[in-house]
Amino acid sequence: MAACTGCSANLTGGELFCPYCGATAPGASTAAPEATGDLRAKSGGGETGLGRDVRTFSCNTCGATVSWDPTKLAATCAYCGSHAVVEAPVGDESRPARVVPFALDASAAGERFRSWLGKGWFRPRDLQTSSLVGEMRGVYLPFWAFDADADSDWSASAGYNYQEQETYTATENGKPVTRTRTVTKTRWQPARGTHREHYDDWMIAATKGVDAPLLAKVFPYRTNEARPYNAAYLAGFGAERPAMRADDVRQNAANALYQKEVEACGKMVPGDTHRDLAVSTRFSNWAYDLVLLPLWISSYRYREQPYRFLINGQTGEAQGHAPISKARVALAVAIALGATAAIAIVLGVLKG
């Protein structure tokens, strides 16, 4: 298991690029094509800002900048809980083109959180009753939604399995005997082909304050339900200012899409297996817009230790960090060891 160099997420191995932030995975030998060419906005207008009066606060700890209603007092950062929050000038970032509205209010989100908190056998039994939940805040996260056309050429060695009978020598009762067995072998042949795909609304986060691996766990969002941006959707909620421009993260989108192309081309190789897959991809017709996605975020304390959690404001998917009961872990280990010992005894009896 290796750590992503971009967001520090744990990678299981085999990835070309981090599934959370799109950064090249450690040790990856395949490089994605460079994301070049024109990058056009899906919807024009050139308007900036959020289209309503807001107060904007920046966190000196995690770096996130979030805009709230003028009456909102942001004494702490909604993302990291830091008190190092200062008021910041309103920026001239591009106005969002679309928004996925909140489908859950704070009460419904709280119920989802409590349900999530009670799951998991290894969690302390009193976790639900002893946890102190902090203020739950609804924030719209900025995402760049990319469209692109991909044209790929691929080549590989296609493997076709076949079976043969072979003889071998074994020893029985101290004497060599000849036996026959069926073995599977592979015949390799060159193969090549092409793959073309249009990708729509590939989301790359432009948030700076939310933990990328944890955020990935509350996906997906149903972006087909996004609506044209209207400042009224922000009433009572915060909206994070994009921490990077679309052109700054387009390569991350190219990395992720190239990995999809490699997977798609691998499925096109004929035969029973393949090796030495090489994929050359060209991207074109890049387009983007800024989409706001709803997220409930908060923290809770259990035995004086803080834990953070997130809730998808559209689907209600809840994820977060939770304590582990050492007593329950010890019990599980004891049960496992006892079962292993019991199996060993039974096998010993059968052999005897």
Side-chain angles (χ1 to χ4, degrees):
M1 184 175 292
C4 171
T5 56
C7 67
S8 300
N10 289 327
L11 305 180
T12 58
E15 298 100 334
L16 297 175
F17 306 96
C18 176
Y20 306 121
C21 71
T24 302
S29 59
T30 303
E34 186 176 354
T36 58
D38 293 338
L39 178 61
R40 63 176 180 83
K42 297 182 190 181
S43 55
E47 295 177 301
T48 60
L50 296 173
R52 61 181 294 145
D53 290 334
V54 293
R55 293 181 68 187
T56 302
F57 299 88
S58 181
C59 177
N60 291 330
T61 301
C62 70
T65 301
V66 182
S67 297
W68 302 88
D69 283 337
T71 57
K72 180 72 174 182
L73 296 178
T76 60
C77 176
Y79 294 156
C80 69
S82 171
H83 292 279
V85 176
V86 296
E87 192 158 1
V90 177
D92 58 353
E93 292 81 9
S94 298
R95 180 166 299 180
R98 292 177 290 159
V99 57
V100 174
F102 274 88
L104 279 76
D105 60 17
S107 176
E111 291 178 4
R112 296 297 180 98
F113 165 69
R114 287 294 178 186
S115 175
W116 169 82
L117 199 61
K119 295 179 180 178
W121 193 85
F122 289 108
R123 295 180 181 178
R125 295 182 60 182
D126 64 341
L127 183 59
Q128 283 183 298
T129 56
S130 300
S131 298
L132 299 176
V133 182
E135 179 186 5
M136 192 173 296
R137 300 188 188 182
V139 182
Y140 281 105
L141 301 186
F143 279 74
W144 295 111
F146 289 96
D147 293 355
D149 292 324
D151 293 272
S152 297
D153 298 316
W154 61 265
S155 63
S157 293
Y160 299 85
N161 295 336
Y162 63 97
Q163 294 182 328
E164 285 186 349
Q165 298 294 315
E166 69 174 19
T167 59
Y168 66 100
T169 301
T171 301
E172 291 185 4
N173 299 322
K175 298 180 179 180
V177 294
T178 300
R179 296 281 185 239
T180 302
R181 61 188 174 192
T182 301
V183 296
T184 299
K185 296 186 177 181
T186 304
R187 181 180 67 255
W188 297 99
Q189 293 183 355
R192 62 182 62 250
T194 61
H195 180 265
R196 292 177 174 82
E197 187 70 59
H198 172 74
Y199 293 95
D200 183 63
D201 269 3
W202 192 268
M203 294 289 176
I204 298 294
T207 174
K208 200 170 185 178
V210 181
D211 178 66
L214 187 57
L215 178 60
K217 291 182 179 180
V218 301
F219 265 66
Y221 284 83
R222 297 187 297 270
T223 55
N224 61 314
E225 298 178 5
R227 302 173 186 176
Y229 175 75
N230 188 313
Y233 288 119
L234 271 60
F237 301 107
E240 184 183 353
R241 182 186 300 179
M244 59 282 292
R245 300 175 303 151
D247 201 39
D248 295 333
V249 297
R250 177 166 52 152
Q251 187 60 49
N252 288 350
N255 291 349
L257 296 181
Y258 178 67
Q259 184 158 301
K260 298 293 289 185
E261 283 296 291
V262 170
E263 294 170 0
C265 291
K267 294 178 181 179
M268 296 180 69
V269 182
D272 302 300
T273 186
H274 68 267
R275 66 186 182 187
D276 302 328
L277 175 65
V279 179
S280 175
T281 302
R282 300 165 300 282
F283 290 113
S284 59
N285 299 323
W286 283 100
Y288 73 95
D289 63 4
L290 182 61
V291 182
L292 298 183
L293 301 182
L295 185 77
W296 288 104
I297 183 168
S298 188
S299 63
Y300 66 97
R301 299 186 70 86
Y302 176 76
R303 296 186 178 178
E304 303 305 317
Q305 292 297 317
Y307 301 89
R308 301 201 68 76
F309 67 91
L310 307 176
I311 301 174
N312 184 313
Q314 181 191 41
T315 67
E317 178 66 28
Q319 292 289 338
H321 304 293
I324 299 296
S325 169
K326 294 181 180 179
R328 290 197 169 195
V329 172
L331 178 60
V333 172
I335 292 174
L337 292 176
T340 302
I343 293 174
I345 293 173
V346 171
L347 292 177
V349 171
L350 293 176
K351 288 181 178 179

